[in-house]
Amino acid sequence: MDGDHACCEGALAAGCRFVAGYPITPSTEVVERIAARFPSVGGMFIQMEDEIASSIAMQGAVWAGAKAMTVTSGPGFSLMMEHIGYAAMTEAPCVFVNVQRTGPSTGLPTQPAQADMMQARWGSHGDYEIIALCPNSPQECFDLTIEAFNLAEIYRVPVMIMMDECVGHMTEKVVIPRASEITVEPRHYTTQKPEEYLPYKAEKNSAPAMVRVGNGYRFHVTGLTHDERGYPSTSLEIHDRFVNRLIDKVRNNARQIIMLDETDTADADVVVVSYGITSRVAVKAIQAARKNGINVGHLRLMTVWPFPEKRLHTLASHVKAFIMPELNMGQMYLELQRCIEGRAATYLIPHSGGTVHNPDDIYQKIVYAARHPRKKKETAK
Amino acid sequence: MSAKNPRNQYLRTERMPNIWCPGCGLGTAVNCFISAIEDCETPLDQISVVSGIGCTGRVAGYLKLDSFHTTHGRPIPFATGLKLSNPKLKVVVFSGDGDLFAIGGNHFIHAARRNMDLTIICVNNFTYGMTGGQVTPTTPIDAFSSTTPYGNIEEPFNLPFLADCSGAVYVARWTVFHVRQAARAMREAMHKNGFSFIEIISPCPTLYGRRNKIGDGLKMMQAFKDNSVIADETDTRNVALDFRGKIICGKFVDREKTSFLDMYNIKMAERFGPFYEPYEGIK
Amino acid sequence: MTSEIKFGGFGGQGVILAGSIIGRAASIMDHKYATMTQSFGPEARGGACSAQVIISDDKILYPYVTRPKILVMLSQEACNRYLPEAADDGVILIEEDLVHPKGLKPGMKVYAIPATRFAEELGSKMTLNVVMVGFFTAVTKLVSYKSARETVKSSVPLGTETMNLMAFDRGYEYGQALT
């Protein structure tokens, strides 16, 4: 099956039973399959009037107890930005799928890009953290969709699945394990009684337990800064504590959240850092380079947000050059540079999208980087 | 404020006093709603209130129910998701004219078209209160606002007509002067299976009344009393409001139509046959 | 070994399904790796239709077909468009009544079959793509007879299995006779 369909199956396997969406290429196949599959499994799909409505109907469903998702691409993702912030602020566990296409604006609707990576992280106003995953095959569209739902429940954050047109429309073998072999994170409901429950009282670095509408808790949810009762507050102290918790619950759990796929990095001189469809093209170039004696490794980001800053920082102590190919003009590369802090050479291989990189371009850059590393300073004993 | 006030059980008294201005009609609108739910058959735990942004957007936060203060213009799609995932809930959207009909106008007509089982209470004060009195889609022609300093030149929406022709099964209009009728209308609307709409004309003395020389809250109430004409079943085409003109109040539409969820179950049962298990919410 | 294959034709011929059957036979039945990508976009409207399939013994990295070794062409327009992309020693499978390849290179081998006629003889023009799948299986030997046949059976609409299997066999036998 293709990546879009695999994403639908992953959502089903993860227990998702509410999807609101609006047709947009190249993500439409996800909701088409959802629309066909849901009535027979007790799920509810609704095609809303636009992406703004889809991304908030999903959140209404969350508070009524559903695991919920919305699916879109390019312009639709832009329309959803405010509700990423609302989900972050209200700590609504939910999943946004973005099958990335080429932009800006309408761009090339039927061609792949990876140019919404920064938008996924920073698209809504204000300070918050999200999690974003990046599959590189239909199989991973299935696997990482399940993972996205699980992470959403653990941390109560919006989780983005940053696919691209190529992965979404590519058909490959997808192995769907038995339900008993799939780990599904249930929603964490409070065990407290209504009179003692505080909806937004949480331990450090974590999210509070939830309640479900209609169960007598008479709780309040607001996008305003709120106290532990969930009531709006203008106290700067409460605001500061609250925003810090939103950030900390992701940042301070980055080690548990981040999934990486590393090959030959332990003694590599050059490391290619890539994600999504680009990672497959990168491997082709890496294999060619290794055959020609270049000591090159690969770090594939399955989790792109939070960015694996600690791992990169560690690698920079022995790696002489990092290369990042991506289907944009330099987005995650900025993160790479930030983490390397000039301790190794960094090279971007930009691409305006529409197709994937030519593996030879990546190969040439590996060869170049191997010849132009940043010299390591001898550490003083 | 007496702690013994029997209405306090419906309010988050710990959040009082509210943020609304003296003379504002919102307190009265909330009171009407409490009257409505007091006699409602639905247990309070099964009633959920969803608001958007603005002065009326704060209603959800003061009611001691499961309540949601959502984003600007989006209470209806949020309520749609809530209702579809738990159809046992009575979901009431309580929001203002700017929220529901400017930024949220598209959602309103589509929820009405689908006959989503929601009750929409729009407190129409003809202005954006929280941002300082700007023109809204319901501001009458010639009325002054902070963004129409020379008078409004745009035709306003006739809200009951918009609701009617979009497919609502229940449409009524009252002013905050008509507390009993408004409460009754809210109760009736909540009992309808489908998209119901109530417009509550309400004073904003601070911004709309003052700027348009109507006067304070009391004077505005007096104006509502003097200008109102109660005429149930009036054709909604004929209930448009104009600046300082008559306010036709009453129940304009009350009809039966299959709701979204009932239609869903009927159609899916047709397709899937006897093995189809009717959808009753997320398990 | 990696083989790049391009299927081309016009909408309604079942081009995508043909590509998908071959890919599924290779990956699910023969336990090789296979990837299919389709060309989407304005060119996919107005009739033209194509599917690109890669079959490999190893994991497929680069997902697109750049220099197809095998072309399966069901329309003249597709053939005109894709023949220049094909490898110099390409194997070109054509529907002989619909396609007359122009610009063949000396190293190319052409295998022609009157697939539409066969399909019509079997009672449904719709099975043209399955005739081509059988023909492909015999000529290229990239997927096994058994896997391709099984995949045809599980891919076609319920109730049409027998007719489609006949179509597959017809194409397969015709291909065997040519090779």
Side-chain angles (χ1 to χ4, degrees), chain A residues 29 110-112 165-166 169-173 277 280-281 283-284 287 355-357 359, chain C residues 4 20 24 27-28 31-32 34-38 40-43 60-64:
Chain A
E29 288 86 347
T110 60
Q111 311 290 349
E165 186 277 335
C166 187
H169 280 163
M170 170 198 289
T171 304
E172 282 184 340
K173 180 161 88 175
I277 187 64
R280 295 171 58 144
V281 186
V283 171
K284 194 160 177 165
Q287 286 174 351
T355 181
V356 298
H357 285 78
Chain C
E4 297 190 353
S20 143
R24 286 176 56 192
S27 65
I28 295 170
H31 303 293
K32 292 183 181 179
T35 298
M36 180 173 84
T37 51
Q38 287 151 253
F40 283 84
E43 83 206 56
I60 296 156
L61 300 166
Y62 189 80
Y64 295 126

mmCIF file of all heavy atoms in Angstrom, chain A residues 29 110-112 165-166 169-173 277 280-281 283-284 287 355-357 359, chain C residues 4 20 24 27-28 31-32 34-38 40-43 60-64:
data_model
loop_
_atom_site.group_PDB
_atom_site.id
_atom_site.type_symbol
_atom_site.label_atom_id
_atom_site.label_comp_id
_atom_site.label_asym_id
_atom_site.label_seq_id
_atom_site.Cartn_x
_atom_site.Cartn_y
_atom_site.Cartn_z
ATOM 1 N N GLU A 29 -5.638 10.939 0.043
ATOM 2 C CA GLU A 29 -5.833 9.480 0.122
ATOM 3 C C GLU A 29 -5.937 9.004 1.562
ATOM 4 O O GLU A 29 -6.566 7.990 1.825
ATOM 5 C CB GLU A 29 -4.682 8.754 -0.591
ATOM 6 C CG GLU A 29 -4.714 8.866 -2.116
ATOM 7 C CD GLU A 29 -4.034 10.120 -2.646
ATOM 8 O OE1 GLU A 29 -3.740 11.041 -1.850
ATOM 9 O OE2 GLU A 29 -3.796 10.193 -3.855
ATOM 10 N N THR A 110 1.551 18.500 -6.497
ATOM 11 C CA THR A 110 1.672 17.050 -6.631
ATOM 12 C C THR A 110 3.110 16.573 -6.497
ATOM 13 O O THR A 110 3.426 15.444 -6.865
ATOM 14 C CB THR A 110 1.131 16.600 -8.000
ATOM 15 O OG1 THR A 110 1.896 17.249 -9.015
ATOM 16 C CG2 THR A 110 -0.326 16.954 -8.169
ATOM 17 N N GLN A 111 3.976 17.429 -5.987
ATOM 18 C CA GLN A 111 5.390 17.068 -5.925
ATOM 19 C C GLN A 111 5.920 17.228 -4.499
ATOM 20 O O GLN A 111 5.427 18.051 -3.738
ATOM 21 C CB GLN A 111 6.210 17.968 -6.864
ATOM 22 C CG GLN A 111 5.655 18.097 -8.276
ATOM 23 C CD GLN A 111 5.783 16.835 -9.099
ATOM 24 O OE1 GLN A 111 6.463 15.897 -8.702
ATOM 25 N NE2 GLN A 111 5.104 16.778 -10.224
ATOM 26 N N PRO A 112 6.938 16.445 -4.158
ATOM 27 C CA PRO A 112 7.385 16.444 -2.763
ATOM 28 C C PRO A 112 8.271 17.629 -2.372
ATOM 29 O O PRO A 112 8.954 18.211 -3.212
ATOM 30 C CB PRO A 112 8.209 15.151 -2.685
ATOM 31 C CG PRO A 112 8.744 14.967 -4.062
ATOM 32 C CD PRO A 112 7.686 15.489 -4.992
ATOM 33 N N GLU A 165 5.169 14.177 -0.248
ATOM 34 C CA GLU A 165 4.392 13.598 -1.347
ATOM 35 C C GLU A 165 4.980 12.279 -1.818
ATOM 36 O O GLU A 165 4.252 11.339 -2.139
ATOM 37 C CB GLU A 165 4.317 14.595 -2.513
ATOM 38 C CG GLU A 165 3.416 14.163 -3.661
ATOM 39 C CD GLU A 165 4.069 13.215 -4.664
ATOM 40 O OE1 GLU A 165 5.318 13.227 -4.788
ATOM 41 O OE2 GLU A 165 3.333 12.454 -5.314
ATOM 42 N N CYS A 166 6.303 12.198 -1.849
ATOM 43 C CA CYS A 166 6.937 10.988 -2.376
ATOM 44 C C CYS A 166 6.611 9.781 -1.493
ATOM 45 O O CYS A 166 6.154 8.744 -1.978
ATOM 46 C CB CYS A 166 8.444 11.206 -2.491
ATOM 47 S SG CYS A 166 9.277 9.849 -3.304
ATOM 48 N N HIS A 169 2.760 8.909 -1.590
ATOM 49 C CA HIS A 169 2.233 8.278 -2.802
ATOM 50 C C HIS A 169 3.037 7.068 -3.247
ATOM 51 O O HIS A 169 2.730 6.474 -4.279
ATOM 52 C CB HIS A 169 2.173 9.300 -3.944
ATOM 53 C CG HIS A 169 0.982 10.204 -3.854
ATOM 54 N ND1 HIS A 169 0.894 11.387 -4.550
ATOM 55 C CD2 HIS A 169 -0.171 10.091 -3.157
ATOM 56 C CE1 HIS A 169 -0.275 11.960 -4.272
ATOM 57 N NE2 HIS A 169 -0.929 11.192 -3.441
ATOM 58 N N MET A 170 4.050 6.719 -2.485
ATOM 59 C CA MET A 170 4.886 5.580 -2.875
ATOM 60 C C MET A 170 4.249 4.283 -2.374
ATOM 61 O O MET A 170 3.757 4.210 -1.251
ATOM 62 C CB MET A 170 6.259 5.779 -2.231
ATOM 63 C CG MET A 170 7.191 4.597 -2.327
ATOM 64 S SD MET A 170 8.499 4.801 -1.115
ATOM 65 C CE MET A 170 9.388 6.140 -1.855
ATOM 66 N N THR A 171 4.258 3.268 -3.231
ATOM 67 C CA THR A 171 3.677 1.976 -2.834
ATOM 68 C C THR A 171 4.790 0.988 -2.531
ATOM 69 O O THR A 171 5.678 0.781 -3.372
ATOM 70 C CB THR A 171 2.795 1.421 -3.967
ATOM 71 O OG1 THR A 171 1.808 2.401 -4.293
ATOM 72 C CG2 THR A 171 2.087 0.147 -3.533
ATOM 73 N N GLU A 172 4.757 0.425 -1.344
ATOM 74 C CA GLU A 172 5.712 -0.610 -0.957
ATOM 75 C C GLU A 172 5.006 -1.603 -0.048
ATOM 76 O O GLU A 172 3.884 -1.368 0.388
ATOM 77 C CB GLU A 172 6.918 -0.002 -0.209
ATOM 78 C CG GLU A 172 7.915 0.646 -1.134
ATOM 79 C CD GLU A 172 9.157 1.176 -0.435
ATOM 80 O OE1 GLU A 172 9.126 1.400 0.787
ATOM 81 O OE2 GLU A 172 10.157 1.367 -1.120
ATOM 82 N N LYS A 173 5.714 -2.663 0.226
ATOM 83 C CA LYS A 173 5.156 -3.650 1.150
ATOM 84 C C LYS A 173 5.067 -3.048 2.548
ATOM 85 O O LYS A 173 6.020 -2.436 3.036
ATOM 86 C CB LYS A 173 6.052 -4.889 1.173
ATOM 87 C CG LYS A 173 5.538 -5.958 2.122
ATOM 88 C CD LYS A 173 6.119 -7.308 1.817
ATOM 89 C CE LYS A 173 7.440 -7.512 2.547
ATOM 90 N NZ LYS A 173 7.956 -8.878 2.350
ATOM 91 N N ILE A 277 12.179 11.186 3.129
ATOM 92 C CA ILE A 277 12.535 10.557 1.854
ATOM 93 C C ILE A 277 13.995 10.818 1.499
ATOM 94 O O ILE A 277 14.678 9.975 0.903
ATOM 95 C CB ILE A 277 11.582 11.032 0.721
ATOM 96 C CG1 ILE A 277 11.835 10.238 -0.565
ATOM 97 C CG2 ILE A 277 11.698 12.517 0.439
ATOM 98 C CD1 ILE A 277 11.533 8.760 -0.448
ATOM 99 N N ARG A 280 16.739 8.206 2.217
ATOM 100 C CA ARG A 280 16.964 7.036 1.355
ATOM 101 C C ARG A 280 17.941 7.370 0.239
ATOM 102 O O ARG A 280 18.805 6.569 -0.112
ATOM 103 C CB ARG A 280 15.634 6.560 0.770
ATOM 104 C CG ARG A 280 14.708 6.046 1.848
ATOM 105 C CD ARG A 280 13.328 5.762 1.349
ATOM 106 N NE ARG A 280 13.256 4.796 0.274
ATOM 107 C CZ ARG A 280 12.270 3.917 0.131
ATOM 108 N NH1 ARG A 280 11.289 3.875 1.022
ATOM 109 N NH2 ARG A 280 12.240 3.089 -0.880
ATOM 110 N N VAL A 281 17.776 8.569 -0.308
ATOM 111 C CA VAL A 281 18.693 9.001 -1.364
ATOM 112 C C VAL A 281 20.101 9.152 -0.778
ATOM 113 O O VAL A 281 21.101 8.791 -1.407
ATOM 114 C CB VAL A 281 18.204 10.322 -1.983
ATOM 115 C CG1 VAL A 281 19.053 10.697 -3.171
ATOM 116 C CG2 VAL A 281 16.730 10.204 -2.377
ATOM 117 N N VAL A 283 21.436 7.484 1.664
ATOM 118 C CA VAL A 283 22.080 6.180 1.877
ATOM 119 C C VAL A 283 22.725 5.692 0.584
ATOM 120 O O VAL A 283 23.826 5.134 0.582
ATOM 121 C CB VAL A 283 21.077 5.139 2.424
ATOM 122 C CG1 VAL A 283 21.679 3.747 2.430
ATOM 123 C CG2 VAL A 283 20.633 5.521 3.828
ATOM 124 N N LYS A 284 22.059 5.932 -0.528
ATOM 125 C CA LYS A 284 22.609 5.526 -1.814
ATOM 126 C C LYS A 284 23.978 6.194 -2.036
ATOM 127 O O LYS A 284 24.944 5.546 -2.443
ATOM 128 C CB LYS A 284 21.631 5.907 -2.934
ATOM 129 C CG LYS A 284 21.931 5.242 -4.236
ATOM 130 C CD LYS A 284 20.725 5.232 -5.161
ATOM 131 C CE LYS A 284 21.158 4.605 -6.486
ATOM 132 N NZ LYS A 284 20.046 4.209 -7.322
ATOM 133 N N GLN A 287 26.620 4.800 0.499
ATOM 134 C CA GLN A 287 27.137 3.486 0.105
ATOM 135 C C GLN A 287 28.227 3.638 -0.957
ATOM 136 O O GLN A 287 29.280 2.997 -0.883
ATOM 137 C CB GLN A 287 25.998 2.608 -0.423
ATOM 138 C CG GLN A 287 25.096 2.090 0.688
ATOM 139 C CD GLN A 287 23.879 1.342 0.171
ATOM 140 O OE1 GLN A 287 23.614 1.339 -1.033
ATOM 141 N NE2 GLN A 287 23.144 0.715 1.077
ATOM 142 N N THR A 355 11.135 17.095 -6.687
ATOM 143 C CA THR A 355 11.601 15.721 -6.798
ATOM 144 C C THR A 355 12.595 15.533 -5.661
ATOM 145 O O THR A 355 12.689 16.399 -4.790
ATOM 146 C CB THR A 355 12.243 15.452 -8.181
ATOM 147 O OG1 THR A 355 12.665 14.092 -8.233
ATOM 148 C CG2 THR A 355 13.437 16.358 -8.442
ATOM 149 N N VAL A 356 13.277 14.410 -5.655
ATOM 150 C CA VAL A 356 14.269 14.219 -4.592
ATOM 151 C C VAL A 356 15.653 14.598 -5.126
ATOM 152 O O VAL A 356 15.825 14.865 -6.312
ATOM 153 C CB VAL A 356 14.257 12.760 -4.075
ATOM 154 C CG1 VAL A 356 12.902 12.436 -3.461
ATOM 155 C CG2 VAL A 356 14.576 11.775 -5.189
ATOM 156 N N HIS A 357 16.654 14.588 -4.238
ATOM 157 C CA HIS A 357 18.015 14.911 -4.653
ATOM 158 C C HIS A 357 18.518 13.888 -5.662
ATOM 159 O O HIS A 357 18.118 12.726 -5.635
ATOM 160 C CB HIS A 357 18.969 14.869 -3.456
ATOM 161 C CG HIS A 357 18.848 16.041 -2.538
ATOM 162 N ND1 HIS A 357 17.843 16.155 -1.619
ATOM 163 C CD2 HIS A 357 19.640 17.144 -2.382
ATOM 164 C CE1 HIS A 357 18.003 17.281 -0.931
ATOM 165 N NE2 HIS A 357 19.085 17.903 -1.375
ATOM 166 N N PRO A 359 21.314 11.478 -6.165
ATOM 167 C CA PRO A 359 22.277 10.903 -5.205
ATOM 168 C C PRO A 359 23.700 11.360 -5.483
ATOM 169 O O PRO A 359 24.506 11.488 -4.554
ATOM 170 C CB PRO A 359 22.140 9.392 -5.424
ATOM 171 C CG PRO A 359 20.837 9.195 -6.104
ATOM 172 C CD PRO A 359 20.512 10.455 -6.844
ATOM 173 N N GLU C 4 14.509 -1.411 -13.138
ATOM 174 C CA GLU C 4 13.596 -0.264 -13.204
ATOM 175 C C GLU C 4 12.619 -0.477 -14.348
ATOM 176 O O GLU C 4 13.025 -0.750 -15.479
ATOM 177 C CB GLU C 4 14.387 1.024 -13.426
ATOM 178 C CG GLU C 4 15.333 1.356 -12.283
ATOM 179 C CD GLU C 4 15.930 2.754 -12.410
ATOM 180 O OE1 GLU C 4 15.716 3.418 -13.458
ATOM 181 O OE2 GLU C 4 16.601 3.182 -11.460
ATOM 182 N N SER C 20 1.122 -2.275 -10.030
ATOM 183 C CA SER C 20 0.951 -2.681 -8.648
ATOM 184 C C SER C 20 0.952 -4.206 -8.503
ATOM 185 O O SER C 20 1.505 -4.742 -7.536
ATOM 186 C CB SER C 20 -0.328 -2.024 -8.115
ATOM 187 O OG SER C 20 -1.006 -2.864 -7.257
ATOM 188 N N ARG C 24 3.610 -6.072 -6.207
ATOM 189 C CA ARG C 24 3.146 -6.914 -5.091
ATOM 190 C C ARG C 24 3.634 -8.354 -5.251
ATOM 191 O O ARG C 24 4.012 -8.992 -4.269
ATOM 192 C CB ARG C 24 1.626 -6.865 -5.009
ATOM 193 C CG ARG C 24 1.135 -5.546 -4.440
ATOM 194 C CD ARG C 24 -0.361 -5.458 -4.447
ATOM 195 N NE ARG C 24 -0.969 -6.568 -3.732
ATOM 196 C CZ ARG C 24 -2.276 -6.846 -3.785
ATOM 197 N NH1 ARG C 24 -3.075 -6.121 -4.512
ATOM 198 N NH2 ARG C 24 -2.750 -7.853 -3.096
ATOM 199 N N SER C 27 7.294 -8.268 -4.174
ATOM 200 C CA SER C 27 7.637 -7.977 -2.778
ATOM 201 C C SER C 27 6.930 -8.915 -1.809
ATOM 202 O O SER C 27 7.531 -9.382 -0.844
ATOM 203 C CB SER C 27 7.313 -6.521 -2.435
ATOM 204 O OG SER C 27 5.926 -6.289 -2.513
ATOM 205 N N ILE C 28 5.669 -9.189 -2.047
ATOM 206 C CA ILE C 28 4.934 -9.977 -1.060
ATOM 207 C C ILE C 28 5.088 -11.477 -1.321
ATOM 208 O O ILE C 28 5.308 -12.254 -0.402
ATOM 209 C CB ILE C 28 3.451 -9.540 -1.017
ATOM 210 C CG1 ILE C 28 3.386 -8.090 -0.524
ATOM 211 C CG2 ILE C 28 2.640 -10.453 -0.098
ATOM 212 C CD1 ILE C 28 2.048 -7.435 -0.644
ATOM 213 N N HIS C 31 9.265 -12.239 -2.113
ATOM 214 C CA HIS C 31 10.133 -11.748 -1.028
ATOM 215 C C HIS C 31 11.332 -10.942 -1.523
ATOM 216 O O HIS C 31 12.403 -10.991 -0.952
ATOM 217 C CB HIS C 31 10.590 -12.896 -0.130
ATOM 218 C CG HIS C 31 9.423 -13.642 0.434
ATOM 219 N ND1 HIS C 31 8.550 -13.076 1.330
ATOM 220 C CD2 HIS C 31 8.955 -14.891 0.189
ATOM 221 C CE1 HIS C 31 7.594 -13.940 1.632
ATOM 222 N NE2 HIS C 31 7.816 -15.049 0.946
ATOM 223 N N LYS C 32 11.119 -10.243 -2.613
ATOM 224 C CA LYS C 32 12.134 -9.270 -3.016
ATOM 225 C C LYS C 32 11.681 -7.909 -2.482
ATOM 226 O O LYS C 32 10.719 -7.815 -1.734
ATOM 227 C CB LYS C 32 12.207 -9.224 -4.544
ATOM 228 C CG LYS C 32 12.755 -10.497 -5.182
ATOM 229 C CD LYS C 32 12.837 -10.289 -6.678
ATOM 230 C CE LYS C 32 13.347 -11.521 -7.377
ATOM 231 N NZ LYS C 32 13.390 -11.305 -8.828
ATOM 232 N N ALA C 34 10.223 -4.109 -3.601
ATOM 233 C CA ALA C 34 9.609 -3.414 -4.726
ATOM 234 C C ALA C 34 9.047 -2.080 -4.264
ATOM 235 O O ALA C 34 8.554 -1.956 -3.142
ATOM 236 C CB ALA C 34 8.502 -4.265 -5.338
ATOM 237 N N THR C 35 9.148 -1.101 -5.123
ATOM 238 C CA THR C 35 8.606 0.229 -4.848
ATOM 239 C C THR C 35 7.865 0.699 -6.086
ATOM 240 O O THR C 35 8.371 0.556 -7.198
ATOM 241 C CB THR C 35 9.742 1.224 -4.545
ATOM 242 O OG1 THR C 35 10.416 0.788 -3.375
ATOM 243 C CG2 THR C 35 9.220 2.627 -4.319
ATOM 244 N N MET C 36 6.684 1.243 -5.882
ATOM 245 C CA MET C 36 5.976 1.846 -7.021
ATOM 246 C C MET C 36 5.711 3.313 -6.738
ATOM 247 O O MET C 36 5.254 3.668 -5.649
ATOM 248 C CB MET C 36 4.644 1.137 -7.276
ATOM 249 C CG MET C 36 3.885 1.749 -8.452
ATOM 250 S SD MET C 36 2.407 0.826 -8.924
ATOM 251 C CE MET C 36 1.224 1.481 -7.762
ATOM 252 N N THR C 37 6.025 4.139 -7.714
ATOM 253 C CA THR C 37 5.617 5.538 -7.628
ATOM 254 C C THR C 37 4.802 5.850 -8.876
ATOM 255 O O THR C 37 4.985 5.221 -9.914
ATOM 256 C CB THR C 37 6.824 6.495 -7.548
ATOM 257 O OG1 THR C 37 7.725 6.185 -8.609
ATOM 258 C CG2 THR C 37 7.559 6.364 -6.241
ATOM 259 N N GLN C 38 3.903 6.780 -8.728
ATOM 260 C CA GLN C 38 3.077 7.143 -9.877
ATOM 261 C C GLN C 38 3.384 8.575 -10.243
ATOM 262 O O GLN C 38 3.764 9.360 -9.392
ATOM 263 C CB GLN C 38 1.599 7.053 -9.493
ATOM 264 C CG GLN C 38 1.111 5.643 -9.347
ATOM 265 C CD GLN C 38 -0.022 5.561 -8.343
ATOM 266 O OE1 GLN C 38 0.144 5.074 -7.246
ATOM 267 N NE2 GLN C 38 -1.174 6.065 -8.726
ATOM 268 N N PHE C 40 2.016 11.940 -10.700
ATOM 269 C CA PHE C 40 0.824 12.723 -10.442
ATOM 270 C C PHE C 40 1.040 14.078 -11.082
ATOM 271 O O PHE C 40 2.140 14.446 -11.425
ATOM 272 C CB PHE C 40 0.631 12.902 -8.939
ATOM 273 C CG PHE C 40 0.090 11.668 -8.271
ATOM 274 C CD1 PHE C 40 0.934 10.647 -7.875
ATOM 275 C CD2 PHE C 40 -1.264 11.530 -8.065
ATOM 276 C CE1 PHE C 40 0.428 9.520 -7.259
ATOM 277 C CE2 PHE C 40 -1.770 10.402 -7.451
ATOM 278 C CZ PHE C 40 -0.927 9.393 -7.044
ATOM 279 N N GLY C 41 -0.022 14.814 -11.205
ATOM 280 C CA GLY C 41 0.159 16.146 -11.736
ATOM 281 C C GLY C 41 -0.638 16.322 -12.994
ATOM 282 O O GLY C 41 -1.323 15.398 -13.425
ATOM 283 N N PRO C 42 -0.559 17.508 -13.569
ATOM 284 C CA PRO C 42 -1.384 17.807 -14.730
ATOM 285 C C PRO C 42 -1.222 16.743 -15.812
ATOM 286 O O PRO C 42 -2.167 16.435 -16.530
ATOM 287 C CB PRO C 42 -0.867 19.164 -15.204
ATOM 288 C CG PRO C 42 -0.224 19.760 -14.009
ATOM 289 C CD PRO C 42 0.307 18.625 -13.201
ATOM 290 N N GLU C 43 -0.017 16.159 -15.911
ATOM 291 C CA GLU C 43 0.192 15.180 -16.969
ATOM 292 C C GLU C 43 -0.618 13.911 -16.735
ATOM 293 O O GLU C 43 -0.847 13.136 -17.641
ATOM 294 C CB GLU C 43 1.676 14.840 -17.084
ATOM 295 C CG GLU C 43 2.124 13.792 -16.086
ATOM 296 C CD GLU C 43 3.595 13.872 -15.743
ATOM 297 O OE1 GLU C 43 4.032 14.947 -15.313
ATOM 298 O OE2 GLU C 43 4.274 12.860 -15.900
ATOM 299 N N ILE C 60 15.363 -0.828 -1.564
ATOM 300 C CA ILE C 60 15.373 0.211 -2.602
ATOM 301 C C ILE C 60 15.513 1.572 -1.935
ATOM 302 O O ILE C 60 14.739 1.912 -1.042
ATOM 303 C CB ILE C 60 14.094 0.141 -3.444
ATOM 304 C CG1 ILE C 60 14.064 -1.195 -4.202
ATOM 305 C CG2 ILE C 60 14.009 1.316 -4.422
ATOM 306 C CD1 ILE C 60 12.688 -1.648 -4.589
ATOM 307 N N LEU C 61 16.496 2.307 -2.359
ATOM 308 C CA LEU C 61 16.741 3.596 -1.726
ATOM 309 C C LEU C 61 16.140 4.716 -2.549
ATOM 310 O O LEU C 61 15.186 5.362 -2.149
ATOM 311 C CB LEU C 61 18.251 3.791 -1.540
ATOM 312 C CG LEU C 61 18.883 2.705 -0.649
ATOM 313 C CD1 LEU C 61 20.390 2.726 -0.755
ATOM 314 C CD2 LEU C 61 18.443 2.890 0.792
ATOM 315 N N TYR C 62 16.697 4.922 -3.729
ATOM 316 C CA TYR C 62 16.192 5.994 -4.591
ATOM 317 C C TYR C 62 14.860 5.547 -5.179
ATOM 318 O O TYR C 62 14.777 4.496 -5.821
ATOM 319 C CB TYR C 62 17.210 6.284 -5.693
ATOM 320 C CG TYR C 62 16.892 7.514 -6.498
ATOM 321 C CD1 TYR C 62 17.207 8.778 -6.006
ATOM 322 C CD2 TYR C 62 16.256 7.426 -7.733
ATOM 323 C CE1 TYR C 62 16.900 9.906 -6.728
ATOM 324 C CE2 TYR C 62 15.958 8.557 -8.465
ATOM 325 C CZ TYR C 62 16.276 9.802 -7.951
ATOM 326 O OH TYR C 62 15.968 10.921 -8.669
ATOM 327 N N PRO C 63 13.777 6.308 -4.925
ATOM 328 C CA PRO C 63 12.442 5.774 -5.239
ATOM 329 C C PRO C 63 11.993 5.949 -6.685
ATOM 330 O O PRO C 63 11.034 5.317 -7.104
ATOM 331 C CB PRO C 63 11.542 6.592 -4.322
ATOM 332 C CG PRO C 63 12.254 7.900 -4.173
ATOM 333 C CD PRO C 63 13.713 7.597 -4.248
ATOM 334 N N TYR C 64 12.658 6.819 -7.421
ATOM 335 C CA TYR C 64 12.168 7.107 -8.769
ATOM 336 C C TYR C 64 12.942 6.314 -9.824
ATOM 337 O O TYR C 64 14.118 6.013 -9.655
ATOM 338 C CB TYR C 64 12.277 8.599 -9.094
ATOM 339 C CG TYR C 64 11.398 9.479 -8.230
ATOM 340 C CD1 TYR C 64 11.941 10.557 -7.528
ATOM 341 C CD2 TYR C 64 10.028 9.241 -8.121
ATOM 342 C CE1 TYR C 64 11.136 11.371 -6.746
ATOM 343 C CE2 TYR C 64 9.220 10.051 -7.339
ATOM 344 C CZ TYR C 64 9.778 11.109 -6.658
ATOM 345 O OH TYR C 64 8.993 11.916 -5.886
#
